[in-house]
């Protein structure tokens, strides 16, 4: 069993429990009362590199990263630094996140909020919208073509912006085929957790110029943002480097100036 397989097993178990506790009809009722989701594309289509700043307590590869008792407060610091969007890890077992984190961040910041999780069912997209998400991460590696297409379609119905993530050329080809406007290339191989930033440099030129190119993983400092920008990134998602920085507001400013 790969690392990803183990994560997905736990995700499905936790999802089944949430489905027992909160019927889909209840989520749909919540969504019906919400204002429209925020559109991240204007913030991503700028002359400067944009930053998606991540609320991330721990990871399978690094273990505990930071004690974050107030995710909304951290997100506010990110927004003050000029983050174009905030990413919130909601997977509990390996990353220590929750949907409550997502809701708290949405209430605090004026910028779009991304739910970062292992989404494998439509129910999770209804959750994302019900708890205030504006974007949803869809990982090609964990979805077949039919489900990926259905999830991208449901995002459109809900007003969510899908961030469709790839790691290989074959995955990227499938991601492009969905028509999604925001395409991520993760430098981390989720089956092994190994990181190779050059993966972005290799694959980014294959992304049509009218799409948003997001570089994910492998950022430890401004020089890494600079390299991703030179390889064609419009947006860089940063997590670990920010939660460990001690001054996330200043760090984002330095990343943007890179």
């Amino acid at each position: 069993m790969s690392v990803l397989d183990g994560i997905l097993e736990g995700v499905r178990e936790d999802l089944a429990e949430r489905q027992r506790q909160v019927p889909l009809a209840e989520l749909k009722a919540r969504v019906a009362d919400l204002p429209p989701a925020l559109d991240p594309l204007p913030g991503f289509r700028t002359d400067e590199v944009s930053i998606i700043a991540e609320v991330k307590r721990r990871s399978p590869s690094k273990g505990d990263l930071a004690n974050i008792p107030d995710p909304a407060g951290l997100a506010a610091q990110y927004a003050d630094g000029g983050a174009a969007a905030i990413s919130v890890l909601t997977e509990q077992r390996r990353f220590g996140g929750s949907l409550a984190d997502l809701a708290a961040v949405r209430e605090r910041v004026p910028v779009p909020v991304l739910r970062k999780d292992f989404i494998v069912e439509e129910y999770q997209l209804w959750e994302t919208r019900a708890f205030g998400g504006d974007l949803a991460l869809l990982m090609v590696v964990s979805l077949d073509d039919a489900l990926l297409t259905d999830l991208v379609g449901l995002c459109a119905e809900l007003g969510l912006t899908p961030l469709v993530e790839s790691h290989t050329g074959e995955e990227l080809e499938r991601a492009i085929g969905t028509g999604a406007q925001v395409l991520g290339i993760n430098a981390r191989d989720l089956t092994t957790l190994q990181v190779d930033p050059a993966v972005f440099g290799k694959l980014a030129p294959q992304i049509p110029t009218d799409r948003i190119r997001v570089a994910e993983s492998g950022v430890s400092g401004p020089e890494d943002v600079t390299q991703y920008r030179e390889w064609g990134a419009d947006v860089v998602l940063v997590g670990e480097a920010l939660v460990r920085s001690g001054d996330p507001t200043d760090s984002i400013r330095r990343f943007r100036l890179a």
Side-chain angles (χ1 to χ4, degrees), residues 154-182:
L154 181 57
C155 281
E157 292 179 29
L158 294 174
L160 290 167
T161 299
L163 166 52
V164 183
E165 175 187 294
S166 308
H167 176 72
T168 69
E170 184 272 335
E171 291 171 9
L172 179 57
E173 196 172 311
R174 293 172 58 206
I176 292 170
T178 68
Q181 291 299 297
V182 184

Side-chain angles (χ1 to χ4, degrees), residues 1 7 16 19 27 34 41 58 61 71 119 175 180-181 204 217 232 251 257:
M1 179 183 290
I7 292 173
Q19 288 173 312
L27 291 178
L34 293 175
L41 295 186
R58 63 174 182 262
S61 61
I119 292 177
Q181 291 299 297
S217 300
S251 293
L257 290 172

Side-chain angles (χ1 to χ4, degrees), residues 184-249:
I185 297 175
N186 195 343
R188 187 183 306 280
D189 182 343
L190 293 177
T191 64
T192 65
L193 301 184
Q194 297 301 307
V195 177
D196 180 7
V199 168
F200 182 87
K202 176 182 176 181
L203 296 181
Q206 300 176 32
I207 297 178
T209 56
D210 63 336
R211 313 287 183 94
I212 300 296
R213 291 168 288 188
V214 182
E216 304 173 48
S217 300
V219 175
S220 59
E223 66 280 358
D224 300 310
V225 175
T226 298
Q227 180 62 80
Y228 277 138
R229 183 62 164 170
E230 291 175 354
W231 282 333
D234 302 299
V235 182
V236 179
L237 191 153
V238 188
E240 178 184 343
L242 289 175
V243 298
R244 287 181 161 177
S245 69
D247 190 341
T249 299

